[in-house]
Each structure stands twice: as structure tokens, then as C-alpha cells.
């Protein structure tokens, strides 16, 4: 019989190769390739298949009654909003984010609030000494909260400790990259360690009914460090985002087995911890008393939540033939190039010999395609040095043909703008029948918008 070929399987993405490599060629993860025993197919096995000999699995109706999972509010409304109503019993949540963004602060605040509300909460820090955590809690005014605190990195020690007696209602592990399972070789933070540690902790949570929260670090390219499988293993993945140089933080659900992923929580990092921001628009709108050229207010939508942000454009004419710069902060640079091309090709405006800068105020990152029209208006205003009225908001999607397309949730956007004192909206022509308490000017094409802003017809 021929000697069975060796098989090497990437533990992160599952790709199979015939030799060992340090880095997986498919998912680019390091040290994830392990030798697996080849499946030996005996003549007996070949004759039999998996279509018999097993136990019958109960098949149920899809419409059977399902009890909703019990939710435990964290006491922080913005966190609960992102979670879809609070932590869920016997579930695992992963919170990812850049170092220093405020993950530990948020979870300490949540842990303390829940403990003060009577829940049994355990907080295990693998990164900070217990005293450091205690000091921070004191600084946050939460030093009195009855949280069970430990500084540990051995999963065996943690589970041995928590396994005796009543399991905690909430268990925070900060962070999963510092945890170590002695069943597996390798240093903490390696793919296999992260996975093995998470697996044990999640099993504990599911068996004992604990709501488990894992903190995960984020790598330079923005994914949660460790294997992608970590995201598959947990029930909920939250991402904590923001610019460290700015105050505001957004908590976004990326995956949620118990609810939607379109809600966000908004916080401001202050000297006394993370404060909830129930009116995000106030955070991103700069003081606007007089009109400034190149500035347009855009009612963005985060999930179902409108957030008014200010888009600023600056166009600088170059005398020489130097290559002009295009710099974008808070928006997609490819999308800016597209809007510039549309303005050049469809409206005859020339930006080719000018430097173009685009900035979204407050360190906010716009992902909503409805920003196209607002960006176009800001660029036209900056180029022509004519301000857009200060009491106007602008939204709509721009097609390559120069048409202005309708966008979702126009009424929500306009209602928020009206609430904050805006009087008019520049919108796609197809949306002028929407009611939102604003005077509406509709545009079917970008050319119409340019004419309007330049006072032509
Ligand atoms: P931290 O929660 O330690 O971040 P992470 O766990 O995501 O790495 O937050 C650290 C930053 O937050 C730190 O740079 C200081 C700042 N901070 C405040 O501004 N105010 C506060 O009350 C606290 C606790 C932290
Ligand atoms: Mg931390």
C-alpha cells in the first residue's frame, strides 16, 4: 500500500498544503499550520458511508415557540443599545479595538454598574495588576463596587477559581491575547493559544450560564488579532472605534446572534471615564454662526440613528504644474476621486490644477453613501468660494452619470436636522415629497445642484 501523504492544515482558515510553512499562503496568518494525520481509507470504510448507523436527530418546526434569551442590562444605555438590549446569559461577546481606545475603561464601568445593581461580576485582567485596575476604578468613582477582581493569565487557574461555588453572572477577560492554556504549547497571544483559551472560557460560559466578555486587541489592518475563528466562536462581536486624538468613541456591533448589527453606542472619553452621548450630533457639529465656504452639514445614519456631521472641503489653486494633492480624512479617497471626476466631466468644473482637501469634523468616519451630494456641495462651495446656507443639510447618492439618487431613511435624517434647528435640506429630486419639517430643494442631477449653489437659474 502506498504511504499516505502528509497533510498540513492551516488552523485559521482550513487551507490544506502538502508541506509545512511558517505563514499560510491563503490567509497570511503566521504559525497556524499543523500537521494532521491523513485520513486512512480502509476497504471497509470505503464500502460503508455515513448514511446509516447513526442516531436519529429530532427535527423540529421552524415556527415553534422560542423563549427569548434573558437580557441583563449593563446599566450603560449606549452599551446596551449596541448589544441589542444587554448581555445575554450563557453567551460570549468579543470586544475589539485599538490599544488605548477605552475597552478596559468601558468594561470596568459596565462591570461596576452591574455589580452595584446586585449582579455577581468577575473581572480578570491579564494586562494590568489588580492595583492598577483598583486605582482606575477609584478614579472613575466606582471604587466601592463589589466586583470580584483578579489579575491572572492562566485559564486553568481562572476556571478552577470560578468553577467552585456559584459561577459569576458576568465574567470579563481583559484580554484574550494574554490568556494561556496549559493544554497547548506556545506563548500567550499565538493563534493556537488564543483559540484554545477562548474555547475553554466559552465552554465554561455556556455550561454555567455566565455572560462572558472577551477583550481582543486589533492588529494594524483592523482585524481582531488571533485567528478569525475567534469571531466565529463567539455570539457577538463589538468593535470599539474612534480616533485617540478625539473624544468620541463608537461601539459598533459587527456580529450579533441575538439581535441586529445596525445599532451603535456613542461615548465621549472624559477625565472621569466614558460618558454616554445620547445626542451624537452635538459632538460633531462645530459652532456655526456665520457661513463658511466649503462647509456642509450631512445627516449621516448609523444604523437607525441619525448623526449630523460637518464635511469640510478646501480647494487650493496651484500656479505651477506640480502634481496637486488630494487628502481625505474621514471618508473614502476613492469616493472623493469619483465625485471630483463627476464634477469635472458632468459639470465642467476643473479641479485638476488644484489641491483638494476633505475633512469630516470631529474625527468621525463617514461610511454612508448618502454623503456624496454633501461632498459635492462642499467641493463646489470651496471652489466657487460661495457658502452653502448655514441652515441647510445635504444628502443624496451621486451616480457616475451625474444623477442624484435617493437614499434610505430620508425622513429620519430630516427629522434630526429639524430637531437641531436646521431649516432646509438639499436632497435628491425623487425625495422632495418626504416629510421631515424642512424646506426641501430637490436635485435630479449634480449639474442642477451646481446651478443652485452658483445662483444660476
Ligand atoms: P483603556 O481603557 O486602558 O484602553 P484599552 O483597554 O482599550 O487599551 O483606556 C486608556 C485611555 O483612556 C488612556 O489613554 C487614558 C484614557 N482615559 C481617560 O481619558 N479618562 C479616564 O477616565 C480613563 C480611565 C482613561
Ligand atoms: Mg486595556
Amino acid at each position: 500500500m502506498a504511504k499516505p501523504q502528509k497533510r498540513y492544515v492551516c488552523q485559521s482558515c482550513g487551507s490544506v498544503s502538502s508541506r509545512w510553512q511558517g505563514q499560510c499562503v491563503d490567509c497570511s496568518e503566521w504559525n497556524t499550520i499543523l500537521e494532521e494525520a491523513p485520513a486512512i481509507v480502509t476497504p471497509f470504510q470505503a464500502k460503508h458511508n455515513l448514511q446509516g448507523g447513526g442516531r436519529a436527530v429530532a427535527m423540529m418546526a421552524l415556527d415553534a415557540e422560542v423563549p427569548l434569551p434573558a437580557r441583563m442590562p449593563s446599566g450603560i444605555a449606549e452599551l446596551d443599545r449596541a448589544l441589542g438590549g444587554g448581555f445575554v446569559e450563557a453567551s460570549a461577546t468579543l470586544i475589539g479595538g485599538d490599544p488605548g481606545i477605552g475597552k478596559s475603561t468601558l468594561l470596568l464601568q459596565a462591570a461596576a454598574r452591574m455589580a452595584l445593581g446586585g449582579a455577581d461580576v468577575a473581572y480578570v485582567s491579564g494586562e494590568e495588576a489588580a492595583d492598577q485596575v483598583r486605582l482606575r476604578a477609584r478614579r472613575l468613582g466606582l471604587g466601592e463596587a463589589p466586583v470580584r477582581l483578579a489579575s491572572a493569565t492562566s485559564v486553568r487557574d481562572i476556571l478552577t477559581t470560578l468553577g467552585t461555588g456559584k459561577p459569576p453572572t458576568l465574567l470579563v477577560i481583559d484580554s484574550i491575547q494574554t490568556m494561556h492554556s496549559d493544554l497547548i504549547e506556545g506563548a500567550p497571544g499565538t493563534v493556537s493559544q488564543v483559540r484554545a483559551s477562548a474555547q475553554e472560557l466559552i465552554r465554561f460560559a455556556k455550561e454555567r450560564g455566565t455572560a462572558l466578555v472577551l477583550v481582543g486587541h486589533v492588529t494594524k489592518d483592523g482585524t481582531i488579532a488571533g485567528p478569525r475563528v475567534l469571531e466565529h466562536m463567539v455570539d457577538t462581536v463589538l468593535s470599539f472605534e474612534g480616533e485617540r486624538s478625539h473624544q468620541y468613541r463608537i461601539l459598533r456591533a459587527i456580529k450579533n446572534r441575538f439581535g441586529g448589527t445596525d445599532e451603535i453606542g456613542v461615548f465621549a472619553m472624559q477625565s472621569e471615564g466614558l460618558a454616554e452621548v445620547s445626542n451624537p450630533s452635538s459632538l460633531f457639529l462645530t459652532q456655526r454662526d456665520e457661513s463658511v465656504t466649503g462647509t456642509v452639514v450631512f445627516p449621516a445614519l448609523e444604523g437607525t440613528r441619525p448623526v449630523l456631521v460637518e464635511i469640510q472641503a478646501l480647494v487650493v489653486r496651484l500656479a505651477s504644474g506640480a502634481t496637486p494633492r488630494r487628502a481625505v480624512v474621514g471618508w473614502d479617497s476613492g469616493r472623493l476621486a469619483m465625485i471630483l471626476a463627476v464634477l469635472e466631466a458632468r459639470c465642467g468644473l476643473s479641479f485638476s490644477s488644484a489641491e483638494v482637501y476633505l475633512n469630516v469634523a470631529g474625527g468621525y468616519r463617514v461610511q454612508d453613501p448618502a454623503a456624496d451630494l454633501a461632498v459635492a456641495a462642499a467641493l463646489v462651495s470651496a471652489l466657487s468660494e460661495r457658502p452653502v446656507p448655514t441652515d441647510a443639510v445635504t444628502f443624496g447618492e451621486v451616480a457616475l452619470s451625474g444623477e442624484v439618487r435617493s437614499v434610505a431613511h430620508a425622513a429620519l435624517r430630516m427629522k434630526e436636522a429639524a430637531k437641531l434647528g436646521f431649516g432646509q435640506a438639499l436632497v435628491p429630486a425623487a425625495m422632495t415629497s418626504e416629510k421631515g419639517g424642512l424646506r426641501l430643494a430637490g436635485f435630479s442631477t449634480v449639474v442642477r445642484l451646481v446651478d443652485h449653489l452658483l445662483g444660476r437659474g
Side-chain angles (χ1 to χ4, degrees):
M1 206 170 95
K3 197 163 157 260
Q5 276 260 305
K6 279 191 175 168
R7 238 166 77 99
Y8 295 88
V9 180
C10 171
Q11 304 298 302
S12 177
C13 70
S15 93
V16 181
S17 50
S18 56
R19 64 194 175 88
W20 189 87
Q21 282 152 308
Q23 185 182 22
C24 172
V25 285
D26 284 321
C27 68
S28 307
E29 289 284 356
W30 287 93
N31 296 325
T32 56
I33 299 193
L34 287 185
E35 183 182 339
E36 280 190 5
I40 298 165
V41 181
T42 62
F44 175 81
Q45 279 167 331
K47 246 191 278 165
H48 294 79
N49 54 29
L50 290 178
Q51 292 179 13
R55 262 182 301 154
V57 176
M59 305 294 272
M60 285 160 276
L62 183 60
D63 64 357
E65 280 296 317
V66 208
L68 283 175
R71 294 270 184 187
M72 296 176 283
S74 64
I76 300 180
E78 295 290 311
L79 172 60
D80 291 341
R81 184 199 284 267
L83 285 167
F87 291 111
V88 176
E89 265 174 32
S91 77
T93 303
L94 177 67
I95 294 195
D98 289 330
I101 208 74
K103 301 178 295 296
S104 304
T105 308
L106 176 69
L107 290 175
L108 186 60
Q109 284 179 266
R113 293 271 184 93
M114 284 186 68
L116 287 170
D120 177 10
V121 179
Y123 186 105
V124 179
S125 178
E127 311 209 316
E128 291 162 303
D131 276 343
Q132 274 176 295
V133 180
R134 235 175 255 128
L135 274 178
R136 174 181 302 182
R138 208 158 297 162
R139 204 149 72 75
L140 298 172
L142 298 166
E144 306 294 301
V147 174
R148 285 203 266 162
L149 174 67
S151 174
T153 55
S154 159
V155 176
R156 188 184 292 279
D157 292 352
I158 295 167
L159 294 184
T160 306
T161 311
L162 299 176
T164 52
K166 215 171 137 283
T169 319
L170 179 75
L171 169 60
V172 178
I173 300 287
D174 186 3
S175 64
I176 188 64
Q177 274 87 11
T178 56
M179 292 298 135
H180 175 260
S181 155
D182 55 26
L183 295 177
I184 300 272
E185 278 181 43
T190 54
V191 172
S192 47
Q193 276 293 351
V194 166
R195 190 191 3 217
S197 305
Q199 215 156 29
E200 278 313 307
L201 289 162
I202 293 170
R203 181 182 309 163
F204 173 84
K206 302 263 161 177
E207 284 173 5
R208 309 296 299 270
T210 294
L212 171 70
V213 183
L214 303 173
V215 173
H217 287 299
V218 162
T219 55
K220 273 189 246 72
D221 59 358
T223 53
I224 294 171
R228 278 313 281 266
V229 279
L230 199 51
E231 291 186 21
H232 298 296
M233 285 158 68
V234 298
D235 302 300
T236 305
V237 180
L238 299 178
S239 162
F240 206 31
E241 304 166 1
E243 298 282 329
R244 235 182 309 170
S245 49
H246 286 89
Q247 255 200 330
Y248 93 92
R249 304 281 183 266
I250 287 186
L251 188 64
R252 204 186 288 280
I254 295 174
K255 158 182 174 176
N256 194 346
R257 284 192 186 146
F258 306 110
T261 53
D262 53 3
E263 289 298 351
I264 58 159
V266 184
F267 299 89
M269 180 59 98
Q270 293 169 351
S271 54
E272 58 286 346
L274 288 159
E276 299 178 52
V277 178
S278 49
N279 177 14
S281 301
S282 62
L283 216 59
F284 303 115
L285 285 185
T286 50
Q287 215 54 49
R288 292 163 54 83
D289 298 328
E290 53 197 281
S291 27
V292 185
T293 61
T295 300
V296 171
V297 175
F298 166 58
L301 217 63
E302 281 289 352
T304 56
R305 205 165 173 200
V307 180
L308 265 58
V309 295
E310 189 179 285
I311 293 182
Q312 305 160 345
L314 180 64
V315 174
V316 184
R317 287 246 161 259
L318 287 185
S320 68
T323 315
R325 272 192 72 164
R326 269 102 180 82
V328 194
V329 178
W331 206 47
D332 181 35
S333 56
R335 202 106 191 145
L336 171 67
M338 189 197 99
I339 300 292
L340 287 172
V342 170
L343 288 173
E344 295 221 3
R346 310 287 172 193
C347 312
L349 299 177
S350 171
F351 291 91
S352 53
S353 62
E355 301 201 320
V356 177
Y357 300 92
L358 192 80
N359 178 40
V360 180
Y364 185 81
R365 196 170 163 79
V366 175
Q367 279 155 347
D368 187 345
D372 293 355
L373 199 65
V375 170
L379 290 169
V380 172
S381 161
L383 185 74
S384 63
E385 298 186 6
R386 294 173 74 111
V388 174
T390 34
D391 72 333
V393 295
T394 309
F395 62 90
E397 191 174 337
V398 171
L400 283 179
S401 61
E403 282 170 287
V404 178
R405 301 261 168 87
S406 306
V407 295
H409 303 298
L412 267 178
R413 298 175 199 266
M414 290 194 274
K415 224 170 90 194
E416 175 77 1
K419 204 171 86 192
L420 289 165
F422 287 83
Q424 54 172 315
L426 313 184
V427 300
M431 311 198 88
T432 42
S433 58
E434 296 278 346
K435 289 186 191 56
L438 300 177
R439 266 177 298 125
L440 300 184
F443 304 97
S444 54
T445 61
V446 185
V447 179
R448 293 272 157 75
L449 173 81
V450 173
D451 287 344
H452 178 83
L453 293 175
L454 300 186
R456 299 194 298 226

